[in-house]
Amino acid sequence: ESNPIVDGAPSNNVTGWRDPYISYWPAVDRLLGRSDNSGLYALISGGFRDHPTTFLYKIDPNDLTSWEYISPLIDIQSNSRSGRWTGDVGKNWECVNRMTLRDPDSELEREFFIISAEGTENINSTSTTETGSNSSMVTRTPRYQLWMAGTLSTTNQTTVTFAPLASGLFDHGNLYAANSFRHPVTGKLLAYGWIQEEDLPDEIRAEQGWSGVISLPREVYLQVHSNVNGHLGGRDLSQVPVFEPVGRTDEVDSYSTMGIKVECDVLHSLQSRAASHASIAEWRPRAHDLNNGAGGGYRRDLALNDTAHCILQSSVRYPANSTSARVGFTIIHDAKQMLFTQISYNPLKQTITVDRSNTVRANATEIERTINRRPELA
């Protein structure tokens, strides 16, 4: 009877206007002069034709059909990015979530947004249109899952704007449309994402009878790294936009960023189901390993007892002056070692790669060969 609550976007010059996210927001209350922290606010995702944004509305908590438009929250150029670490912001935003996060030790507080950006140009490795033997593979829609951290400000208590101080990729793979909520018992901020079905062709999705899955829940939090006196690949961390410099004492620095990890109760539940354990307390390459390794490298084999699921945890000590190209793992999927996935880290480029190119059997059908096996790169 009361619909529509809002009869349209605040402008005709928009790329999108959808995905409302509603919450109390004390930080905006303070900016707008409210003292009781009872103001209810909504974000509607979208953008104008020259830049993506999220639109801020004020809601009367006593009349949920009463919405008042305040302003767009952020002014950022379409398809911009702050370097290789952050991801393209795209042309339009979807499923924008907001949260106020505080570090309990330093009491640092920042506003965070989790953003689904579509219409990106600097697309990830799995979306590129490749030539030759890979040209028949299906491709993903070009989009990124991002986060931003920063502060809010107001002009005459009539508009509210957000200034990013740090930003990065929330996920480097096939996760999109993340949504978050505050756990009512633990108080943790949890986010779920949509693992898209775009790596499979329509025929295989129809045959298996399902499409897409929900990700493991991830806990997000404000993470502060204190006593930092080193660099990342010769680069001062203050030059990496994923980190915000937040303090300096005794010649060492502190940086903040968004912390993201699998929710611990879920992780412990998965670990508790492990049927077997294998451990190597410490392993150093022997002459035999070095002599038999290809290209001067070396390997160590570890049987996983025919399980399809494993949690592999490893600590690698890597010499700072090493010129080796990469270190990592090969997960072998068949007895003849013809099908495998490689997960490797390149310390010179600071990149992690999941190489899926050798995961389809030689006698695969024409449809199976169209499965997207392009590498994931972070």
Side-chain angles (χ1 to χ4, degrees), residues 184-225:
V185 176
T186 66
K188 296 177 180 177
L189 203 292
L190 302 182
Y192 284 85
W194 165 34
I195 308 296
Q196 303 167 87
E197 56 273 6
E198 292 186 318
D199 284 355
L200 296 179
D202 291 338
E203 293 86 347
I204 291 181
R205 292 203 297 269
E207 180 181 345
Q208 69 185 12
W210 57 273
S211 182
V213 294
I214 300 299
S215 72
L216 293 176
R218 303 182 187 189
E219 180 184 354
V220 298
Y221 53 97
L222 176 59
Q223 185 175 51
V224 176
H225 299 280

Side-chain angles (χ1 to χ4, degrees), residues 276 278 301-312 330-332:
S276 62
D301 297 331
L302 176 65
L304 297 177
N305 300 326
D306 298 323
T307 179
H309 305 86
C310 65
I311 297 175
L312 179 61
T330 301
I331 312 298
I332 300 171

Side-chain angles (χ1 to χ4, degrees), residues 1-6 63-66:
E1 187 174 311
S2 298
N3 282 317
I5 293 175
V6 182
D63 179 8
L64 300 184
T65 67
S66 176

Side-chain angles (χ1 to χ4, degrees), residues 25 31 72-76 109-113 148-154 160-167 244:
W25 201 347
L31 286 175
L73 261 183
I74 188 169
D75 185 2
I76 191 168
E109 184 176 282
R110 288 289 181 265
E111 301 298 323
F112 280 82
F113 292 88
M148 292 183 182
T151 57
L152 299 171
S153 61
T154 184
V160 178
T161 56
F162 170 75
L165 298 174
S167 61
E244 177 199 350

